[in-house]
Amino acid sequence: MKKLDQNQKNLIRRYLIWCYKTTKEDLDRIDRYFTQLLVDDHMLEQLHSSREFKNLDLKEFHKLVEDFEDYRDKKEVKVVEQKFLDKDKKILQPQYLYLQKRFQAIEKVIGHFLGKAELKKITLAYEQEMTKRILEAREHV
C-alpha cells in the first residue's frame, strides 16, 4: 500500500470515527436495554426488600413499584425481539449480528490505520460524548 499523505490520513480518521460512532450508537440502542434490565432488577430487589414495601398499608407505594416492574417487563419483551430471533435467546437477529460484526471490523480497521492508542482515544471520546449528552439533557416542559 502506498504511503498516505496527511489529508488522506485526516479523511480516513474522520471516516473511521463516523463509522465507529454510528455503528456503536446503533448497537447501544439495543444493548443498553439489556444493561438497564440488570439495573432495573437490582432496583426492584431493593424496592421489594424495603420496609415500606413490606408495609401493606402503603398501597400507593406498592402500585408505583408494580408500575415500575410492568415497565421493566415490557422493556424486556421489546428488546429481546430486537436482538434475538428465538425465545431461547440463542439466535441473533441478522441486523443485530451485522452491527456486532461491523463494529468489530471497524475497531480492527482503526487499529490498522490509526493504531491501538488512537482506538483507545476514540473509544474514550465516544464515552465522554455520550455521558455529556446525558448530563446536559433537558426535559422539555
Side-chain angles (χ1 to χ4, degrees):
M1 184 162 100
K2 70 176 187 160
K3 188 163 170 61
L4 301 170
D5 66 31
Q6 191 58 49
N7 186 53
Q8 290 170 317
K9 289 177 185 177
N10 291 342
L11 291 170
I12 288 171
R13 184 177 185 280
R14 286 197 314 253
Y15 176 62
L16 287 171
I17 289 171
W18 178 83
C19 289
Y20 183 99
K21 176 196 172 290
T22 56
T23 305
K24 182 79 166 117
E25 284 176 340
D26 290 344
L27 264 176
D28 283 355
R29 235 176 247 115
I30 297 169
D31 288 341
R32 72 177 177 223
Y33 288 105
F34 286 94
T35 56
Q36 287 174 13
L37 292 172
L38 293 171
V39 173
D40 291 350
D41 289 344
H42 191 68
M43 283 194 287
L44 282 165
E45 278 181 40
Q46 298 299 309
L47 289 166
H48 285 138
S49 67
S50 72
R51 188 175 63 234
E52 293 80 3
F53 190 80
K54 292 175 184 171
N55 181 346
L56 299 178
D57 294 332
L58 296 174
K59 292 185 185 335
E60 279 187 56
F61 179 74
H62 275 257
K63 174 76 169 104
L64 292 169
V65 172
E66 289 168 9
D67 289 349
F68 178 60
E69 199 163 0
D70 288 344
Y71 163 77
R72 181 248 174 257
D73 292 344
K74 287 175 185 165
K75 184 185 337 183
E76 181 177 25
V77 168
K78 179 181 168 189
V79 76
V80 165
E81 291 172 353
Q82 291 178 20
K83 188 172 181 177
F84 298 101
L85 280 172
D86 62 327
K87 294 196 187 284
D88 294 331
K89 302 178 192 171
K90 292 183 179 175
I91 304 170
L92 294 173
Q93 287 281 2
Q95 178 65 22
Y96 181 82
L97 180 61
Y98 169 75
L99 287 171
Q100 206 176 47
K101 294 302 178 185
R102 176 181 163 91
F103 187 70
Q104 291 169 0
I106 290 166
E107 288 184 313
K108 285 181 182 176
V109 172
I110 290 171
H112 171 78
F113 279 97
L114 308 176
K116 292 184 189 239
E118 190 64 20
L119 174 58
K120 287 180 182 180
K121 287 180 189 176
I122 291 169
T123 301
L124 179 61
Y126 176 84
E127 291 303 321
Q128 288 172 336
E129 175 63 24
M130 293 302 111
T131 301
K132 180 182 169 194
R133 287 184 192 182
I134 291 167
L135 294 173
E136 291 178 350
R138 304 282 184 259
E139 269 200 48
H140 302 285
V141 188

